[in-house]
């Protein structure tokens, strides 16, 4: 945390000193230095690519592709949530609802024969805009109140998903048309089937990961983390804290929208079940277990927590109990690390 | 007019339950600054207990209230010892996550035991009712309101007249200063959690007589309770009760006259959003504590 404060306040900054603007006058993030990263990314990337590409050659079991896709989907969720939770440390419990918006958009728009790429982009945009719309009035609240408000938004959306049957199919659900993914080149002479979806999901995970990581290391991320530590101080330095918080929240919405499309295309049929508060909370568990500020950590935690019960083939409820216990143990052992300078 | 009165009466009953849950939650959240999201789960647990105690064992209602108060009080104290003591005084994020984890564990144990959809109910032992100007008031509903008011009154007396009640208020004010005067802070924590969970127990008992009992019964209640606390302020019992009854009536009237059943939920959240927009620190600001 001290490194962030050094950079934000310009005191003892390693790279350069910032001229201190008069208190309260607006300041932009452009004048801040980038944080240097300690470890290069490419070994991790290589490892991910190797696992995704080589796994089909190692095992004959068709099931691996499903596990691979699920791990990718949850990793994507976790990476998106890291932008907010690893930045300002706020909880977006409406995440599941925006995820649902993406999935329902996929089901409907693909049904009108819209191209897949366009739907993916539109869902991302819609997710971001919707999140910004409900996030704006929430800016006045912080910490617990913020979490409760987002939870309320999520619950309201869950009601809308059930009531608005024309678009969502209610509790019966909607089929999602098959998407032609033959444009994705597959390595080796392996059964394509679900492998192209796995490739697509993991490609997007890596893309989203690079973005999230660069963002958190950028001046924007710096200010965001400063807000998590002491919002009034950051505001007093001249940064418009609300703008940064809203943008970070909206970015999780973009991830949620895209994840919704991927989810819908993978599963082929959407019902309102997954778009609840529990999805949001599962994602938060993964981010916390992986280390709140570490993007790679959330990918590893998401994959591990997804693959483990999947291999054990356990019931949903057992899985939630295992997750909750893991979360509790992590929170107890690393309480100070989890809080990481968050004051609220 | 008769219809409106009926909706208002029904709303008062719902509001009473909200008040019980909110007051119980405010003990832990207002007093100890622990946002206990697991509070709603104990409402659900008590509702299942009620189905067993009254529905199966056919125990007298008033005796059952005492039994459930006792059991839930002990459960609450154990909850503090086993789950929250180790992270006492950590940041809000840590406390929220730990409380969520606890509610997930308990809720899913009940899902495994009783199934997610399967719900149970029982015959409330007090039957019948009377009519005033065309408005039906069942004795059951009357009991709910009376028990609610009585519980909150007993709690107020406990907080203001007994040694432990005063110690709780002292710790809520300033835990370090209270410890200096010789109050055992650890014992206060145990008591607060015990009393708070016992309040959730009464709410669960009353709910079990009105709605089908299922594992997710508490989720809605806890969210409403947080909404009420945010609007009314966390250390303001009369404010909590007033807002809770107001919310219950508003929901009931809205649900009665508008076509969508979800409108009721919307009222609580929309009201909360408006209230927070006008006064982000809560309608009744709590001096000295950050929001």
């Amino acid at each position: 945390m001290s490194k962030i404060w050094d950079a934000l306040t310009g005191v003892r900054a390693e790279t350069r000193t910032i001229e201190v603007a008069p208190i309260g006058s607006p300041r932009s993030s452009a004048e801040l230095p980038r944080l240097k990263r300690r470890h290069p990314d490419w070994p991790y990337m290589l490892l991910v690519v190797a696992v995704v590409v080589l796994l089909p050659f190692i095992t004959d079991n068709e099931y691996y592709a499903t596990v691979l896709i699920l791990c990718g989907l949850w990793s994507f969720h976790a990476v998106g949530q890291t932008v907010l939770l690893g930045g300002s440390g706020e909880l977006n419990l409406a995440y599941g609802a925006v995820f649902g918006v993406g999935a329902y958009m996929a089901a409907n728009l693909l049904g009108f024969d819209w191209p897949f790429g366009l739907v993916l982009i539109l869902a991302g945009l819609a997710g971001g805009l919707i999140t910004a719309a409900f996030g704006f009035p929430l800016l006045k609240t912080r910490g617990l109140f913020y979490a409760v408000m987002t939870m309320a938004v999520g619950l309201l959306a869950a009601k809308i998903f059930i009531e608005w049957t024309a678009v969502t199919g209610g509790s019966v659900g909607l089929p999602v048309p098959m998407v032609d993914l033959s444009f994705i080149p597959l390595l080796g002479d392996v059964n394509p089937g679900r492998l192209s979806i796995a490739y697509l999901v993991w490609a997007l995970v890596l893309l989203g990961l690079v973005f999230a990581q660069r963002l958190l290391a950028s001046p924007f991320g710096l200010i965001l983390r400063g807000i998590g530590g002491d919002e009034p101080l950051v505001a007093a330095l001249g940064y418009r804290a609300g703008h940064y918080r809203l943008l970070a929240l909206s970015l999780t919405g973009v991830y949620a929208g895209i994840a919704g499309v991927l989810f819908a295309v993978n599963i082929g049929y959407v019902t309102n079940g997954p778009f609840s508060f529990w999805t949001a909370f599962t994602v938060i568990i993964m981010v916390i277990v992986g280390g709140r500020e570490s993007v790679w950590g959330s990918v590893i935690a998401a994959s591990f927590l997804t693959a483990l019960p999947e291999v054990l083939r356990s019931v949903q409820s057992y899985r939630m109990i295992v997750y909750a216990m893991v979360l509790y143990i992590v929170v107890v052992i690393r309480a100070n690390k989890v809080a990481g300078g968050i004051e609220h | 007019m008769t219809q409106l009165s009926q909706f208002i009466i029904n709303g008062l009953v719902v509001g009473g339950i909200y008040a019980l849950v909110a007051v119980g939650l405010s003990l832990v959240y207002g007093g100890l600054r622990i946002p206990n999201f697991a509070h709603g789960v104990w409402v659900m647990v008590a509702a299942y207990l009620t189905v067993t105690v009254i529905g199966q064992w056919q125990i007298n209602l008033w005796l059952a209230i005492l039994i459930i108060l006792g059991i839930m009080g002990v459960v609450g104290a154990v909850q503090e010892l086993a789950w929250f003591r180790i992270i006492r005084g950590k940041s809000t994020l840590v406390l929220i996550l730990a409380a969520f984890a606890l509610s997930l564990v308990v809720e899913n144990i009940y899902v495994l035991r009783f199934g997610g959809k399967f719900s149970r109910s029982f015959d409330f032992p007090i039957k019948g009712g009377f009519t005033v100007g065309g408005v039906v008031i069942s004795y059951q509903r009357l009991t709910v309101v009376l028990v609610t008011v009585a519980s909150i009154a007993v709690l107020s007396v406990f907080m203001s007249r007994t040694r432990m009640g005063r110690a709780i208020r002292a710790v809520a004010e300033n835990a370090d200063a209270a410890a200096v005067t010789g109050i055992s802070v650890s014992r206060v924590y145990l008591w607060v959690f015990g009393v708070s969970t016992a309040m959730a127990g009464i709410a669960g008992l009353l709910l079990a007589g009105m709605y089908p009992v299922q594992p997710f019964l508490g989720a809605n209640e806890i969210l409403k309770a947080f909404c009420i606390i945010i609007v009314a302020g966390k250390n303001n019992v009369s404010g909590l009760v007033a807002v809770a009854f107001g919310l219950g009536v508003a929901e009931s009237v809205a649900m009665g006259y508008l076509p969508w059943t979800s409108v009721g939920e919307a009222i609580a959240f929309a009201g909360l959003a408006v209230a927070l927009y006008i006064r982000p620190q809560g309608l009744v600001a709590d001096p000295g504590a950050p929001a």
Side-chain angles (χ1 to χ4, degrees), chain A residues 120-179:
Chain A
L120 205 61
I121 292 167
L122 280 181
L125 280 178
L129 287 176
I130 287 172
T131 312
F134 74 71
F136 180 68
L138 265 58
L139 283 181
K140 289 197 166 191
T141 62
R142 306 183 162 80
L144 172 74
F145 288 10
Y146 190 85
V148 170
M149 288 298 291
T150 54
M151 192 175 170
V153 171
L155 271 171
L156 264 183
K159 299 279 170 191
I160 294 173
F161 289 158
I162 294 181
E163 301 262 351
W164 199 10
T165 44
V167 172
T168 65
S171 46
V172 180
L174 280 180
V176 183
M178 287 289 282
V179 175

Side-chain angles (χ1 to χ4, degrees), chain A residues 76-90 208-209 211-213 215-216 220-221 224-225 244-245 247-253 255 287 292-295 298:
Chain A
F76 192 78
H77 285 310
V79 167
Q81 193 69 259
T82 311
V83 173
L84 185 69
L85 201 51
S88 58
E90 287 168 312
L209 183 143
F211 177 74
Q213 209 162 39
L215 190 81
L216 283 175
F220 175 88
L224 207 56
R225 284 194 264 171
Y244 292 90
R245 289 173 63 206
L247 191 53
L249 178 71
S250 309
L251 283 173
T252 64
Y255 278 89
V287 175
R292 195 170 54 82
E293 292 184 2
S294 156
V295 183
S298 42

Side-chain angles (χ1 to χ4, degrees), chain A residues 85 89-91 93 136-138 140-145 147-149 151-153 155-156 159-160 163-164 277-278 281 284-285 288 292 315-318 320-321 323-325 327-328 331-332 334-336 338-340 342-344, chain B residues 29 35 37 82-87 90-98 100-105 107-109 111-112 216 219-220 222-223 226-227 229-230 259-262 265-266 269-270 272-273 276-278 280-282 291:
Chain A
L85 201 51
E90 287 168 312
L91 301 174
L93 297 174
F136 180 68
L138 265 58
K140 289 197 166 191
T141 62
R142 306 183 162 80
L144 172 74
F145 288 10
V148 170
M149 288 298 291
M151 192 175 170
V153 171
L155 271 171
L156 264 183
K159 299 279 170 191
I160 294 173
E163 301 262 351
W164 199 10
F277 161 72
W278 301 114
F281 202 64
I284 288 168
I285 291 176
I288 296 288
R292 195 170 54 82
V315 190
Q316 168 80 13
S317 290
Y318 282 119
M320 288 319 287
I321 292 174
Y323 284 5
M325 288 314 295
L327 174 71
Y328 180 69
V331 159
V332 166
R334 309 183 39 179
N336 297 326
V338 167
I342 292 176
E343 299 294 332
H344 50 67
Chain B
Y29 177 53
F37 271 92
W83 200 270
F84 287 106
R85 177 153 293 193
I86 194 170
I87 47 168
K90 300 289 182 197
S91 83
T92 309
L93 183 64
V94 168
L95 295 171
I96 291 180
L97 291 170
F100 265 130
L102 178 61
S103 69
L104 271 180
V105 169
E107 209 159 76
N108 281 293
I109 287 173
V111 172
L112 287 175
F216 301 109
N220 191 31
I222 185 73
L223 195 65
F226 265 117
C227 291
I229 287 182
I230 290 173
W260 277 14
T261 44
S262 317
E265 318 260 317
F269 304 143
L272 176 65
L276 278 180
Y277 198 74
I278 303 166
Q281 68 276 50

Side-chain angles (χ1 to χ4, degrees), chain A:
Chain A
M1 211 51 208
S2 66
K3 200 163 65 171
I4 295 169
W5 288 125
D6 292 349
L8 273 179
T9 54
V11 184
R12 287 196 293 120
E14 290 158 22
T15 33
R16 61 173 162 155
T17 319
I18 302 154
E19 273 180 46
V20 176
I23 298 272
S25 68
R27 209 192 261 201
S28 94
S29 60
E31 52 194 293
L32 287 173
R34 290 187 70 86
L35 283 185
K36 281 193 199 119
R37 287 214 304 278
R38 266 166 293 171
H39 310 292
D41 275 336
W42 61 266
Y44 296 102
M45 297 246 177
L46 219 59
L47 185 71
V48 169
V49 172
V51 169
V52 174
V53 171
L54 293 181
L55 206 62
F57 294 99
I58 297 167
T59 166
D60 293 333
N61 192 343
E62 287 280 315
Y63 190 58
Y64 70 87
T66 306
V67 178
L68 212 55
I69 293 168
L70 285 177
C71 289
L73 274 173
W74 284 109
S75 298
F76 192 78
H77 285 310
V79 167
Q81 193 69 259
T82 311
V83 173
L84 185 69
L85 201 51
S88 58
E90 287 168 312
L91 301 174
N92 174 13
L93 297 174
Y95 184 88
V98 185
F99 172 51
V101 169
Y104 284 127
M105 274 182 78
N108 284 294
L109 296 182
L110 290 174
F112 300 144
D113 283 332
W114 289 31
F116 177 67
L118 182 67
V119 173
L120 205 61
I121 292 167
L122 280 181
L125 280 178
L129 287 176
I130 287 172
T131 312
F134 74 71
F136 180 68
L138 265 58
L139 283 181
K140 289 197 166 191
T141 62
R142 306 183 162 80
L144 172 74
F145 288 10
Y146 190 85
V148 170
M149 288 298 291
T150 54
M151 192 175 170
V153 171
L155 271 171
L156 264 183
K159 299 279 170 191
I160 294 173
F161 289 158
I162 294 181
E163 301 262 351
W164 199 10
T165 44
V167 172
T168 65
S171 46
V172 180
L174 280 180
V176 183
M178 287 289 282
V179 175
D180 182 25
L181 291 172
S182 56
F183 62 88
I184 296 172
L186 295 174
L187 280 178
D189 185 23
V190 284
N191 182 5
R194 303 169 56 66
L195 202 58
S196 30
I197 297 184
Y199 274 33
L200 175 71
V201 169
W202 275 100
L204 284 170
V205 169
L206 291 184
L207 206 68
L209 183 143
V210 170
F211 177 74
Q213 209 162 39
R214 301 209 62 126
L215 190 81
L216 283 175
S218 73
F220 175 88
L222 206 62
I223 294 170
L224 207 56
R225 284 194 264 171
I227 290 170
D230 190 341
E231 187 179 336
L233 176 58
V234 174
L237 282 170
Y239 301 105
R240 294 170 192 274
H243 292 201
Y244 292 90
R245 289 173 63 206
L246 187 62
L247 191 53
L249 178 71
S250 309
L251 283 173
T252 64
V254 173
Y255 278 89
I258 294 173
V261 176
L262 294 177
F263 170 84
V265 167
N266 171 46
I267 209 153
Y269 196 90
V270 285
T271 55
N272 62 332
F275 312 132
S276 64
F277 161 72
W278 301 114
T279 303
F281 202 64
T282 309
V283 177
I284 288 168
I285 291 176
M286 288 163 172
V287 175
I288 296 288
V289 170
R292 195 170 54 82
E293 292 184 2
S294 156
V295 183
W296 276 110
S298 42
V299 171
I300 294 165
S303 302
F304 183 72
L305 285 175
T306 311
L308 186 72
E310 210 53 57
V311 171
L312 300 173
R313 302 277 175 96
S314 55
V315 190
Q316 168 80 13
S317 290
Y318 282 119
R319 176 191 312 214
M320 288 319 287
I321 292 174
V322 170
Y323 284 5
M325 288 314 295
V326 170
L327 174 71
Y328 180 69
I329 291 166
V330 167
V331 159
V332 166
I333 293 175
R334 309 183 39 179
N336 297 326
K337 199 84 179 162
V338 167
I342 292 176
E343 299 294 332
H344 50 67

Side-chain angles (χ1 to χ4, degrees), chain B residues 60-72:
Chain B
N60 174 287
L61 176 69
W62 308 108
L63 189 61
I65 289 183
L66 288 181
I67 292 174
I68 283 175
L69 267 179
I71 296 178
M72 295 314 291

